[in-house]
Amino acid sequence: AQSVTQLDSQVPVFEEAPVELRCNYSSSVSVYLFWYVQYPNQGLQLLLKYLSGSTLVKGINGFEAEFNKSQTSFHLRKPSVHISDTAEYFCAVSDLSGNTGKLIFGQGTTLQVKP
Amino acid sequence: DVKVTQSSRYLVKRTGEKVFLECVQDMDHENMFWYRQDPGLGLRLIYFSYDVKMKEKGDIPEGYSVSREKKERFSLILESASTNQTSMYLCASSYSRVDYGYTFGSGTRLTVV
C-alpha cells in the first residue's frame, strides 16, 4: 500500500528566511504528487501538483517542489517566507490502484513563521 | 470556482446521538470524499463515492455510514456518536476518478460530549 511520510511535524522559521518541508512517499508505480495548505480554521487548498513532465513544479504564493523519483521525495520549498505563510501543509500521493481517484495524505507539517 | 459547502462549521452533540454532516458541491463533480483530521494523524479517509447511490469504504469506516442520493450531496452519518469521534471532518470533491485535484470544504469541527 502507498504511504506518505512528512518528516517534520513542526518547522519554525524566521520571516524572509528560506524553508523546505520534506515529504517522502512509498510506491512502486508512477504516482501523482500534491501539496495542500490549510490556513487556520479553513479547509485545504491546492498549492501545487506534479502529474508528469518537468520535475520542478511551481505553485501559488511563491512555493515550488521538486519530484525526485530515485529518492521517492517531493519536498516543498520557498526562498523567502512571510508571516502569512504560517499554516499547516499536507503532502499527498495518488492511489492509482482501483482507479478510484483517492489521495493518501501525510501527517502534516506546521510551518510557524516568526517575525 | 467550484464550491464545496459543509452545512455546519461547529457542532456539539451528545454521546449516543445520531449525527448528520452534510456536504454539497456545485460543479457536477463525480467523486466525493469524507476525511477526518486529527493532530499528528493527518487526513484519514472515512468513505468516498464516485456516483449517485455508490459508496466505498475508506481506511476508517467503522462507526460511520454515508448517503449519496443526489450527485451534488454527500452526507456522513454517525449512527451513535462517541467521544472518540470528536474531530474535524472535511468533505472534498473531484471531477472524476482520473482527476486528483480535490476541492475541499471548510470543515466541520464536531465535539461529542
Side-chain angles (χ1 to χ4, degrees):
Chain A
Q2 289 164 317
S3 64
V4 178
T5 301
Q6 292 182 241
L7 297 158
D8 306 292
S9 59
Q10 293 189 358
V11 174
V13 64
F14 286 104
E15 195 173 18
E16 298 184 7
V19 70
E20 178 180 81
L21 306 184
R22 297 180 293 168
C23 173
N24 285 91
Y25 66 93
S26 66
S27 176
S28 59
V29 299
S30 296
V31 294
Y32 302 149
L33 293 156
F34 303 80
W35 276 99
Y36 284 83
V37 60
Q38 184 181 34
Y39 298 106
N41 299 314
Q42 295 185 26
L44 279 69
Q45 64 183 79
L46 182 65
L47 260 183
L48 49 80
K49 60 184 175 184
Y50 171 79
L51 304 181
S52 65
S54 173
T55 57
L56 184 63
V57 180
K58 293 190 184 298
I60 62 171
N61 301 338
F63 284 93
E64 63 182 31
E66 185 156 20
F67 170 55
N68 187 318
K69 188 175 182 179
S70 62
Q71 296 187 4
T72 60
S73 68
F74 191 55
H75 300 334
L76 181 70
R77 301 185 182 103
K78 187 170 182 178
S80 176
V81 295
H82 302 287
I83 295 286
S84 59
D85 293 322
T86 295
E88 189 156 20
Y89 292 80
F90 292 93
C91 181
V93 64
S94 54
D95 180 357
L96 296 178
S97 63
N99 194 27
T100 59
K102 290 192 318 184
L103 285 179
I104 298 164
F105 287 85
Q107 302 91 331
T109 297
T110 301
L111 176 63
Q112 300 164 322
V113 181
K114 305 176 182 180
Chain B
D1 283 349
V2 178
K3 260 196 165 175
V4 177
T5 303
Q6 295 184 232
S7 55
S8 302
R9 188 74 182 91
Y10 298 95
L11 273 180
V12 180
K13 296 292 181 180
R14 295 194 181 279
T15 302
E17 275 193 78
K18 190 169 187 176
V19 181
F20 293 86
L21 303 183
E22 306 288 346
C23 175
V24 176
Q25 50 94 3
D26 66 359
M27 206 60 179
D28 203 34
H29 279 184
E30 286 185 1
N31 282 8
M32 296 189 76
F33 306 84
W34 275 107
Y35 286 87
R36 66 176 279 176
Q37 180 183 5
D38 300 288
L41 298 177
L43 277 68
R44 294 180 292 167
L45 182 63
I46 306 171
Y47 268 96
F48 63 101
S49 166
Y50 50 83
D51 202 353
V52 176
K53 297 193 185 294
M54 302 295 289
K55 61 184 179 183
E56 296 283 344
K57 292 180 180 179
D59 300 317
I60 52 163
E62 297 78 18
Y64 304 94
S65 63
V66 290
S67 171
R68 194 166 181 198
E69 297 296 319
K70 293 184 178 181
K71 191 174 186 178
E72 66 271 19
R73 185 180 296 271
F74 191 37
S75 303
L76 179 69
I77 303 158
L78 285 66
E79 297 290 344
S80 178
S82 63
T83 55
N84 62 13
Q85 293 178 309
T86 292
S87 185
M88 170 70 89
Y89 290 88
L90 292 167
C91 175
S93 71
S94 66
Y95 181 69
S96 72
R97 278 186 263 183
V98 295
D99 169 28
Y100 292 85
Y102 286 12
T103 300
F104 279 87
S106 299
T108 296
R109 186 166 293 282
L110 172 68
T111 302
V112 182
V113 298

